């Protein structure tokens, strides 16, 4: 019986990673390694203004004084920063004006990933910024959006075209000194997406960035800056994949969100970086700093993430609730299978009066996976009437994986109400058999149970993403249950 | 070659963790028949249900089981279910987060796929749900919840009968379905069974007590002791057991005292 269980468990958790291909394309690569010269070189390649270079250099000098954080519940292989390429770009004219100027190979790559760059081919209203390795390849629907005054472009372009906005908001939520990986990103970030929604505008389509790592030995350091001006609304999606490679690849991104008075931002991620093979070889090391600032009163930021990829995930999408009556939400499903490790969660910092936050975290561990929830709810002294509700659930598949919860609660205002609920459960042999007895195969039973478990979070995703996320959950647990 | 029997068990022996539980059991069930299997705790009744549904904690060591002339023991649990074997669980399992609607829809469409039929459309499915809910008098609210989650004992049993009505099995096994039911729930469950019984559907009622058989009248009553059927007769046997207990059967069948004491629960 034990053997049978292991067998099915193995079958369900050994789904193939279907985005593991490599695109053969001419790439502009700088030599390996990191130094002040490399930082200058990246800045020069991007023809950046002096203030941008200054920002990078400040960050780099600060980074040299920092040590990699060791507090996460992760076993991180040593990262040799001199062995990483910090800039790789598919060779093409910068920021192509029309699709005909984009290399057909790139178009094919994104087609294969299910991200057609041809606007007329897109049935759903999603505007995409496609980023390959270090640069933005193509942003769709720009003209449509521009009519409403919405700026949606690559970060590099924003630096050139909208310097005052970038200067005003860059590092205003994640300062360059914030943490080891955010500081590294500040020094060497290559590209990413920039988005500005003007006052009172409700963005009519989903905005989306699709990140693709292609070149080997390359680190990806993208930076996203999203500004929702007063009374505006935007829903933003982020997807990512990478080829299968035996060596680890570093991904250290920064996402900053600013929500002004009355603005609402929904940020959804389906993270599907290459997780490494069944024995834990290779895979993306994902160290990401995501933070939103509810700057104005009555603003709202909502993070939804489905994390199925990466060998290591270190990620805490957070909200600083500065405006009165502002709201922060975090909905997360994190899957660790085989030898994947995840230490993920959120921080909700209540500063304004009557601020509210909700945390729903669902961890799923299978194989030898280790899944940790780490969260901080902090209520400052002036945050009269702050409310938080946290729910952390863990689901275990098999008996060789682990689930851990590290909730931190710091409350300095006596009127605050903070609630925390946690559960741990496992998919039992009896549940599977019950499904079997109704004609449902073991794999489908696991799909049903896992999707049922994650439903609360998946329901928060935009429709097209929700379907993809459901499939992804099932695939990433393929072969894992019994 | 089509057999006249829906189910044919020949000289079955089965064990759990190397402990012999079923020790040579034979049983033949024709389409449309209702059989009751009675016996004291630990006689192997539930183990028999586990063998028939393919639960892997039971090992079949000898004998054969055919279903419509095909070797049942070769089939996976889900295949058996799709072929039309339904077990009403003694202890129905809770599956949090999975809605009854989604669960039932998946089950029905798997069965239809197996039989080469197109999946039911949402409206066909929902009207079938409605119809069967009325048939088994199950509270509408129950089917809007997660599978068995937070159901009372009686609600769980009614939910089993509802699922049975939805799946329209060829062979329904009711494992101690009467346990823990008050008289109203018992009547509802029995009515549900009586409504789905047909010339095509056979039922095996596994029970400790006679009272369910007041409502579901069996064609045959078998008494199990120590892994064997020791006596078979018509429905009058159930009444006699109710009056006289099991002890006289043990004497009649000349079963050793120690095996009678074995009080094994599964």
């Amino acid at each position: 019986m034990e053997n049978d269980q292991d067998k099915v468990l193995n079958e369900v958790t050994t789904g193939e990673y279907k985005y593991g291909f490599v695109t053969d394309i001419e790439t502009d690569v700088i030599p390996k390694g990191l130094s002040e010269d490399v930082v200058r070189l990246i800045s020069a390649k991007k023809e950046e203004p002096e203030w941008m270079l200054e920002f990078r250099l400040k960050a780099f000098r600060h980074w040299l004084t920092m040590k990699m954080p060791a507090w996460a519940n992760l076993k991180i292989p040593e990262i040799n920063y001199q062995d990483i390429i910090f800039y790789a770009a598919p060779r093409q004219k910068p920021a192509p004006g029309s699709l005909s100027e984009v290399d057909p190979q790139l178009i094919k790559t994104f087609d294969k990933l299910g991200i057609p760059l041809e606007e007329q081919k897109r049935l759903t209203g999603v505007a995409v910024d496609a980023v390959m390795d270090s640069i933005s390849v193509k942003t769709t629907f720009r003209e449509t959006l521009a009519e409403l005054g919405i700026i949606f472009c690559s970060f590099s372009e924003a630096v050139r075209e909208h310097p005052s906005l970038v200067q005003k908001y860059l590092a205003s939520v994640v300062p360059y000194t914030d943490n080891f990986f955010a500081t590294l990103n500040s020094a060497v970030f290559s590209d990413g997406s920039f988005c500005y929604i003007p006052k009172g505008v409700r963005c009519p389509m989903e905005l989306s960035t699709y990140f693709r790592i292609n070149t080997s030995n390359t680190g990806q350091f993208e930076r996203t800056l999203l500004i929702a001006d007063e009374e505006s609304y935007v829903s933003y999606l982020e997807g990512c994949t990478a080829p299968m490679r035996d060596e680890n690849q570093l991904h250290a991104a920064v996402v900053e969100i600013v929500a002004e008075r009355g603005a609402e931002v929904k940020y959804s991620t389906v993270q599907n970086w290459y997780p490494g093979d069944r024995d834990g070889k290779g895979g993306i090391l994902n160290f990401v700093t995501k933070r939103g600032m509810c700057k104005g009163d009555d603003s709202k930021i909502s993070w939804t993430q489905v994390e199925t990829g990466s060998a290591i995930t270190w990620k805490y999408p957070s909200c600083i609730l500065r405006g009165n009556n502002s709201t922060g939400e975090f909905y997360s499903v994190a899957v660790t299978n085989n030898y994947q490790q995840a230490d993920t969660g959120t921080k909700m910092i209540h500063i304004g009066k009557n601020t509210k936050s909700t945390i729903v975290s669902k961890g799923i561990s299978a194989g030898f996976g280790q899944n940790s929830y780490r969260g901080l709810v902090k209520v400052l002294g002036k945050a009269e009437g702050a409310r938080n509700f946290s729910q952390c659930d863990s689901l275990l598949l098999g008996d060789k994986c682990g689930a851990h919860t590290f909730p931190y609660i710091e409350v300095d205002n006596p009127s605050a109400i903070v609630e925390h609920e946690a559960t741990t459960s496992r998919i039992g042999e009896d549940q599977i058999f019950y499904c079997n007895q109704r004609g449902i195969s073991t794999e489908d039973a696991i799909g049903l149970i896992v999707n049922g478990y994650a439903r609360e979070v998946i329901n928060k995703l935009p429709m097209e993403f929700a379907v993809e996320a459901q499939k992804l959950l099932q695939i990433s647990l393929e072969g894992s249950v019994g | 070659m089509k057999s006249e029997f829906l189910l044919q068990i020949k000289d079955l022996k089965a064990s759990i963790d190397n402990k012999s539980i079923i020790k040579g059991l034979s049983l033949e069930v024709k389409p449309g028949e209702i059989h009751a299997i009675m016996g004291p705790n630990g006689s192997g009744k539930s183990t028999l249900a586990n063998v028939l549904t393919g639960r892997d904690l039971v090992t079949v060591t000898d004998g054969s089981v055919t279903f419509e002339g095909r070797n049942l023991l070769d089939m996976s649990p889900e295949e058996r279910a799709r072929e039309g074997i339904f077990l009403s669980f003694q202890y129905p399992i809770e599956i949090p987060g999975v809605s009854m609607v989604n669960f039932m829809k998946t089950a029905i469409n798997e069965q239809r796929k197996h039989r080469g039929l197109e999946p039911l459309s949402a409206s066909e499915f929902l009207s079938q749900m409605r119809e069967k809910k009325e048939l088994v008098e199950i509270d509408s609210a129950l089917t809007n919840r997660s599978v068995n989650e937070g159901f009372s004992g009686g609600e769980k049993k009614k939910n089993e009968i509802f699922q049975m009505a939805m799946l329209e099995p060829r062979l329904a096994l009711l494992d101690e379905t009467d346990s823990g039911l008050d008289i109203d729930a018992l009547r509802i469950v029995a009515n549900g069974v009586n409504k789905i019984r047909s010339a095509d559907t056979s039922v095996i009622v596994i029970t400790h007590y006679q009272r369910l058989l007041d409502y579901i009248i069996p064609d045959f009553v078998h008494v199990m002791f120590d892994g064997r059927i020791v006596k078979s007769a018509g429905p009058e046997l159930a009444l006699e057991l109710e009056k006289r207990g099991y002890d006289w059967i043990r004497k009649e069948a000349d079963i050793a005292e120690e095996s009678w004491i074995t009080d094994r629960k599964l």
Side-chain angles (χ1 to χ4, degrees):
Chain A
M1 176 186 127
E2 184 59 31
N3 278 343
D4 272 8
Q5 208 167 327
D6 284 353
K7 207 176 78 200
V8 192
L9 199 75
N10 273 329
E11 278 165 17
V12 185
T13 33
T14 47
E16 291 288 314
Y17 184 74
K18 64 176 184 178
Y19 306 103
F21 63 90
V22 179
T23 306
D24 186 12
I25 191 162
E26 208 183 324
T27 307
D28 180 11
V29 175
I30 65 168
K32 281 180 183 177
L34 183 55
S35 64
E36 206 166 298
D37 286 343
V38 168
V39 174
R40 286 177 192 280
L41 181 59
I42 292 170
S43 187
K45 286 250 177 214
K46 307 188 78 64
E47 300 169 22
E48 287 175 349
E50 191 59 30
W51 59 266
M52 196 68 252
L53 175 63
E54 277 311 310
F55 175 79
R56 289 177 181 277
L57 288 173
K58 262 196 316 199
F60 178 70
R61 286 167 197 148
H62 186 73
W63 184 74
L64 290 176
T65 68
M66 298 172 98
K67 277 207 177 73
M68 192 154 121
W71 43 260
N73 185 27
L74 300 167
K75 283 189 192 119
I76 304 171
E78 205 181 322
I79 300 168
N80 180 356
Y81 292 91
Q82 298 311 328
D83 202 32
I84 293 173
I85 298 167
F86 284 84
Y87 182 87
R91 197 160 278 163
Q92 63 167 2
K93 287 184 215 158
S98 77
L99 200 64
S100 57
E101 289 170 47
V102 178
D103 188 313
Q105 269 289 18
L106 284 175
I107 297 175
K108 245 165 74 185
T109 301
F110 282 95
D111 265 349
K112 217 165 150 183
L113 296 168
I115 316 289
L117 300 182
E118 291 154 74
E119 285 165 23
Q120 63 272 27
K121 275 197 183 169
R122 294 211 60 98
L123 297 170
T124 49
V126 182
V128 182
D129 182 22
V131 177
M132 172 105 112
D133 291 334
S134 301
I135 73 148
S136 170
V137 174
K138 165 84 185 161
T139 311
T140 62
F141 287 110
R142 298 172 49 144
E143 293 76 16
T144 321
L145 295 169
E147 284 167 21
L148 293 164
I150 296 171
I151 304 168
F152 182 43
C153 64
S154 74
F155 201 95
S156 317
E157 195 180 331
V159 170
R160 282 194 307 273
E161 309 288 330
H162 311 284
S164 56
L165 277 176
V166 176
Q167 274 180 296
K168 180 174 174 196
Y169 289 106
L170 175 69
S172 67
V173 184
V174 181
Y176 74 90
T177 51
D178 194 78
N179 71 70
F180 185 82
F181 293 105
T183 303
L184 176 63
N185 175 287
S186 300
V188 301
F189 75 91
S190 37
D191 213 337
S193 303
F194 175 85
C195 174
Y196 172 79
I197 316 289
K199 274 183 198 171
V201 171
R202 214 183 145 80
C203 185
M205 56 176 79
E206 309 277 348
L207 300 188
S208 156
T209 306
Y210 195 91
F211 296 108
R212 173 76 180 166
I213 295 179
N214 188 53
T215 313
S216 63
N217 294 315
T218 310
Q220 178 144 320
F221 307 93
E222 81 275 355
R223 190 155 188 128
T224 300
L225 180 53
L226 218 160
I227 302 143
D229 215 327
E230 293 175 9
E231 306 291 340
S232 69
Y233 167 85
V234 64
S235 168
Y236 198 92
L237 319 173
E238 177 201 283
C240 28
T241 57
M244 297 201 271
R245 297 189 192 280
D246 285 347
E247 75 275 11
N248 293 122
Q249 275 182 284
L250 179 63
H251 173 249
V254 171
V255 176
E256 290 180 278
I257 299 175
V258 179
E260 298 283 5
R261 183 179 53 75
E264 179 178 352
V265 178
K266 255 184 91 150
Y267 194 103
S268 313
T269 307
V270 173
Q271 188 263 105
N272 188 22
W273 293 119
Y274 176 53
D277 68 10
R278 289 174 63 182
D279 304 316
K281 199 168 180 202
I284 302 293
L285 309 180
N286 193 31
F287 298 94
V288 175
T289 305
K290 289 185 168 173
R291 196 174 303 151
M293 164 102 71
C294 286
K295 198 171 166 189
D297 291 353
D298 305 305
S299 56
K300 178 176 176 182
I301 294 176
S302 177
W303 298 99
T304 305
Q305 57 169 20
V306 174
E307 306 276 312
T308 61
S310 295
I312 291 179
T313 299
W314 179 99
K315 183 176 165 187
Y316 316 90
S318 302
C319 298
I320 300 170
L321 303 169
R322 184 193 273 175
N324 294 330
N325 311 313
S326 62
T327 306
E329 294 176 337
F330 174 75
Y331 297 96
S332 168
V333 174
V335 178
T336 53
N337 192 5
N338 297 322
Y339 287 88
Q340 281 177 275
Q341 309 172 63
D343 192 300
T344 184
T346 184
K347 289 190 277 189
M348 293 291 174
I349 314 293
H350 293 256
I351 301 172
K353 291 188 175 64
N354 300 316
T355 45
K356 279 202 299 271
S357 63
T358 305
I359 299 171
V360 176
S361 163
K362 306 259 179 183
I364 302 170
S365 314
F368 297 87
Q370 293 295 326
N371 210 321
S372 302
Y373 167 81
R374 185 182 303 276
L376 169 68
V377 176
K378 192 177 172 76
V379 178
L380 275 68
K382 286 180 181 160
E384 204 67 37
R387 286 220 56 172
N388 162 267
F389 173 76
S390 302
Q391 184 188 328
C392 300
D393 297 331
S394 307
L395 183 68
L396 300 166
L397 285 74
D399 53 7
K400 294 177 186 73
C401 51
H404 318 268
T405 306
F406 305 95
Y408 302 84
I409 298 173
E410 297 170 15
V411 179
D412 287 328
N413 185 303
S415 70
I417 300 173
V418 177
E419 292 172 81
H420 183 96
E421 286 179 8
T423 66
T424 302
S425 52
R426 43 179 303 166
I427 296 187
E429 186 265 341
D430 51 354
Q431 287 176 324
I432 304 271
F433 181 72
Y434 191 75
C435 294
N436 289 160
Q437 214 301 306
R438 300 300 185 248
I440 301 166
S441 70
T442 298
E443 274 198 40
D444 289 344
I446 288 156
L448 264 182
I449 295 169
V450 166
N451 275 310
Y453 167 79
R455 189 170 55 182
E456 198 180 343
V457 173
I458 289 182
N459 282 350
K460 297 283 171 188
L461 289 172
M463 184 77 107
E464 314 82 38
F465 249 38
V467 174
E468 192 191 319
Q470 272 191 16
K471 282 192 211 139
L472 197 57
L473 275 185
Q474 193 146 1
I475 291 166
S476 59
L477 289 167
E478 223 157 73
S480 82
V481 181
Chain B
M1 194 190 69
K2 189 108 179 161
S3 159
E4 67 169 306
F5 297 108
L6 179 67
L7 178 75
Q8 202 166 21
I9 305 173
K10 278 189 193 154
D11 216 11
L12 179 73
K13 291 179 182 156
S15 59
I16 295 174
D17 294 335
N18 293 322
K19 188 177 186 312
S20 170
I21 307 287
I22 295 182
K23 302 171 178 171
L25 182 146
S26 297
L27 179 67
E28 288 171 337
V29 178
K30 287 184 190 162
E33 287 179 351
I34 296 193
H35 291 243
I37 297 181
M38 303 185 70
N41 285 336
S43 54
K45 302 189 302 288
S46 287
T47 303
L48 178 62
N50 284 330
V51 168
L52 294 178
T53 50
R55 188 141 202 189
D56 65 0
L57 43 87
V58 187
T59 313
V60 173
T61 51
D62 203 6
S64 68
V65 182
T66 57
F67 185 71
E68 297 191 297
R70 291 175 57 207
N71 182 358
L72 185 71
L73 301 177
D74 274 355
M75 297 181 206
S76 66
E78 57 268 34
E79 212 180 331
R80 299 175 197 209
R82 292 169 196 161
E83 284 287 328
I85 293 184
F86 180 92
L87 172 64
S88 168
F89 282 67
Q90 184 177 3
Y91 304 108
I93 307 298
E94 299 191 8
I95 312 180
V98 178
S99 70
M100 269 308 294
V101 172
N102 201 5
F103 180 70
M104 243 21 273
K105 198 160 172 241
T106 310
I108 286 206
N109 285 334
E110 284 298 328
Q111 190 188 65
R112 292 179 66 88
K113 194 162 89 190
H114 185 72
R115 295 172 186 176
L117 300 169
E118 290 291 309
L120 283 184
S121 73
S123 64
E124 286 169 326
F125 174 76
L126 289 174
S127 73
Q128 190 174 331
M129 284 267 285
R130 242 190 329 269
E131 184 194 321
K132 303 294 183 182
K133 269 196 289 205
E134 277 169 30
L135 187 74
V136 300
E137 300 173 52
I138 187 172
D139 186 352
S140 260
L142 286 186
T143 53
N144 293 332
R145 284 157 57 181
S146 294
V147 180
N148 293 323
E149 194 187 20
F151 287 27
S152 72
E155 286 169 339
K156 283 182 181 172
K157 293 295 174 80
K158 278 195 254 178
N159 189 29
E160 295 291 288
I161 300 304
F162 166 68
Q163 292 178 48
M164 179 176 76
M166 287 293 286
L167 290 165
E168 301 176 338
R170 306 280 335 268
L171 174 66
L173 308 167
L174 308 183
D175 189 5
E176 306 276 3
T177 298
D178 51 340
S179 68
L181 290 187
D182 63 32
I183 198 73
D184 288 331
L186 189 70
R187 183 189 53 79
I188 289 170
V189 163
N191 277 348
V193 174
N194 287 329
K195 280 175 185 159
I196 68 134
R197 73 182 286 192
S198 68
D200 258 357
T201 302
S202 309
V203 181
I204 297 179
V205 183
I206 293 171
T207 181
H208 193 90
Y209 301 105
Q210 193 269 340
R211 61 176 195 155
L212 183 61
L213 305 179
D214 286 343
Y215 299 91
I216 304 171
I217 310 295
D219 299 304
F220 301 96
V221 174
H222 311 276
V223 179
M224 239 183 122
F225 258 119
D226 192 29
R228 288 184 199 90
I229 288 175
V230 295
K231 193 172 179 68
S232 298
E236 69 284 355
L237 178 57
L239 294 168
E240 199 171 352
L241 285 171
E242 184 73 0
K243 245 189 314 200
R244 298 174 61 190
Y246 287 108
D247 211 27
W248 63 278
I249 297 221
R250 181 183 64 79
K251 285 183 187 125
E252 195 180 295
D254 193 23
I255 294 160
E257 189 75 26
E258 56 269 32
S259 59
W260 158 229
I261 292 163
T262 314
D263 191 26
R264 210 188 135 75
K265 273 191 189 136
L266 263 183

